[in-house]
Amino acid sequence: MTTEGQIDFFFKPESIALIGASPNPEKLSCTILENLLKMGFQGNIYPVNLGYQEIRGLKCYPVPNEIKDKIDIAIFAVPASTVLEILNGPVENIKGAIIVSSGFREVGSEGKEIEVRLKEILETKKIRAMGPNCLGIYDTASKVDTFFISSDKVERPSSGGVSILTQSGSFAAMIMDEMANEGAGVARVVSYGNKVDVDESDCLEFLAGDEATKAVALYIEAIGNGRRFLAAAFRCVQKKPVVALKVGKREPGAKAASSHTGAVSGRYEAYEAAFRKAGIIKVESYEELKDACKVLNRYPLVKGKRVLIITDGGGIGISIADACEEAGLRVPDISIEAVSKLRKKLPAFASIRNPVDLTGSVKDEHYVDALQEAFGEEYDLAIVSLLWGPPLLSKGVAEKIKAFASHCEKPVLICSPGGRFSREMASAFTAIGMPVFFTPESVVRAAVVLCGGKK
């Protein structure tokens, strides 16, 4: 951390200045301004550019210090050399900076020298900064969107409970776009690029006490101060789940990380040990991290690893059971008492064991019957898989399962494999806030996260 103080103002700003603002749609700053306006930020927005009197109906200022208001966030969308020139000037009213500009450490020795000077200026001026070489913040709580990619190209997720921290802007854009398309929300997404100042430790310290954030997902290329990260992560884990994906594990990936944000990537085994010590849930791939984000938006962690599986297709049930066992989860048999009750309620040909196979004769209410009678104390979570071919199965099953899940203190995960028709039917679940997973492997990955990860 280069300067003293908290970073709350980045997430609760009252004023934003856009330095390098332009009405030219070919400029990144034009997209940033459009996104801020479209997001509905309620504070003051101050465009800064010598060449304009006003942009989008907003008064344009020639330099930052002519703005009489304090500036919580100054977004720098100008060349690297201009960033230094402006910060070297009178900027006493700027509290925090988001430097989206590239041309720093990631481009080599010359850029590294520029970044060293940037760091010195920030320390002297006592300005906290995210970046450079970043997208900044997408925040559904404070209605801030500093990304320079339009929502036509990268969809924005709705409000949710997971906050995502990443060095990589492309990763931030990719996971936001996919989560938006799968009906999952986010609280805050932070892309901090080269980490000249604000890093994952700063963000974890803020998010630990953030009421909008119910869980945290980390995409890590490299960590500078390992001891500080461990302390910040440990404090955060005491209050909410933290999931992490470490990339650059092997030599080719480590070299790519170095050229991307100038990261110096250490041995992966050291990161694994640090995650275990802090209580972070480790995932191994982008898909796993996305599954974690989706499921943690809806459910808290559970204490055990016992899974009940209910499906209307025997094959998919077996696949889910196999995946559970391979991941270290347990699939215990249904109690004798529950079996007796289910025989009176389910189709005659139903297989009443774990997995429960409701067969092609399934009706909407059979899923609820199976949950009510079988999902007892011997299970920690349930996986409900739906194949939409049976003629008596309808979209109405979603509301019925949601009604049960709302009064159940344990997670009910939905798996809906298939193509266009299946996805359209499964949208009934996402519409009412229940995440849907589209393969046995995906839903089991989500279950593993809720069970505290692989040990």
Side-chain angles (χ1 to χ4, degrees), residues 124-414:
T124 300
K125 299 288 180 102
K126 293 184 168 53
I127 296 172
R128 301 304 310 265
M130 291 185 182
N133 183 31
C134 72
L135 289 177
I137 298 171
Y138 172 75
D139 193 325
T140 62
S142 60
K143 304 297 182 186
V144 170
D145 184 352
T146 73
F147 284 27
F148 55 74
I149 306 170
S150 74
S151 58
D152 294 335
K153 296 180 178 179
V154 170
E155 287 192 46
R156 294 336 194 229
S158 58
S159 178
V162 173
S163 287
I164 301 170
L165 306 178
T166 169
Q167 286 178 258
S168 167
S170 60
F171 173 85
M174 179 170 65
I175 197 166
M176 282 171 56
D177 197 27
E178 289 205 46
M179 288 182 71
N181 275 275
E182 293 185 18
V186 300
R188 313 178 195 269
V189 180
V190 186
S191 155
Y192 38 77
N194 293 10
K195 301 192 293 186
V196 71
D197 174 27
V198 173
D199 61 11
E200 52 280 311
S201 298
D202 292 295
C203 294
L204 282 168
E205 287 172 357
F206 167 77
L207 293 175
D210 178 34
E211 291 185 3
T213 300
K214 307 306 178 189
V216 180
L218 283 162
Y219 173 96
I220 296 172
E221 292 178 13
I223 293 170
N225 187 335
R227 188 166 297 174
R228 180 165 178 250
F229 171 78
L230 272 175
F234 181 80
R235 284 194 295 271
C236 196
V237 166
Q238 303 313 300
K239 298 183 177 181
K240 56 198 70 176
V242 178
V243 182
L245 169 64
K246 170 68 176 75
V247 297
K249 302 174 189 176
R250 307 293 177 241
E251 187 177 354
K255 287 180 179 178
S258 179
S259 64
H260 178 214
T261 57
V264 180
S265 188
R267 287 179 60 84
Y268 181 56
E269 293 77 11
Y271 284 92
E272 287 184 303
F275 293 164
R276 282 195 300 272
K277 187 171 183 179
I280 293 171
I281 300 169
K282 179 194 70 170
V283 295
E284 297 289 352
S285 68
Y286 165 73
E287 288 294 333
E288 284 187 57
L289 191 66
K290 186 180 71 171
D291 291 334
C293 289
K294 288 170 62 176
V295 78
L296 290 172
N297 253 319
R298 168 77 182 181
Y299 295 114
L301 301 185
V302 298
K303 293 182 179 179
K305 295 178 178 290
R306 302 164 301 171
V307 183
L308 171 68
I309 303 167
I310 302 171
T311 182
D312 58 351
I316 196 72
I318 295 168
S319 295
I320 293 171
D322 284 347
C324 283
E325 293 289 346
E326 289 173 10
L329 305 181
R330 294 175 52 213
V331 186
D333 289 336
I334 296 171
S335 69
I336 295 172
E337 294 80 6
V339 169
S340 177
K341 291 178 182 177
L342 285 171
R343 289 201 187 282
K344 299 173 184 177
K345 293 185 174 183
L346 299 185
F349 298 108
S351 174
I352 305 174
R353 50 194 310 167
N354 193 12
V356 178
D357 179 8
L358 301 174
T359 75
S361 300
V362 66
K363 299 178 183 179
D364 293 355
E365 56 267 28
H366 290 150
Y367 274 103
V368 180
D369 290 337
L371 284 165
Q372 287 176 336
E373 301 301 343
F375 197 20
E377 291 300 319
E378 60 269 38
Y379 298 106
D380 300 295
L381 61 88
I383 294 175
V384 174
S385 178
L386 302 99
L387 301 176
W388 295 96
L392 299 178
L393 191 62
S394 75
K395 270 190 174 183
V397 70
E399 287 288 355
K400 290 182 172 65
I401 293 175
K402 169 71 178 296
F404 172 86
S406 297
H407 293 91
C408 176
E409 295 182 354
K410 293 180 284 189
V412 178
L413 309 188
I414 305 300

